[in-house]
């Protein structure tokens, strides 16, 4: 099936055996590269649009180690 993302899970949840409770973020700005994406979000464009209509934004962040 397909689903429209409405939140970001805080921790991994194994729901393979049925419904499970979990905590989600419903708003904020997140590093797109740090998220674990479903395989259907296979392009940057799909990831950029994933949370359209929500209070979640994602973007690619640059890191500097020095």
């Amino acid at each position: 099936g397909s689903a429209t993302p409405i939140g970001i899970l805080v921790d991994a949840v194994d729901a393979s055996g049925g419904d499970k409770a979990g905590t989600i973020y419903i708003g904020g700005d997140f590093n797109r590269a740090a998220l674990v994406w479903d395989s259907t979000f296979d392009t940057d464009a799909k990831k950029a649009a994933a949370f359209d209509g929500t209070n979640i934004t994602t973007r690619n962040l640059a890191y500097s180690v020095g």
Side-chain angles (χ1 to χ4, degrees), residues 5-33:
I6 60 165
I8 296 174
L9 279 169
V10 174
D11 296 302
V13 175
D14 180 2
S16 60
D19 291 346
K20 299 287 181 182
T23 304
I24 64 170
Y25 295 112
I26 58 170
D29 189 26
F30 296 86
N31 180 356
R32 193 174 299 149

Side-chain angles (χ1 to χ4, degrees), residues 32-33 37 41-50 58 60:
R32 193 174 299 149
W37 294 89
F41 294 93
D42 54 1
T43 67
D44 283 337
K46 288 179 183 179
K47 291 174 183 177
T58 65
N60 293 319

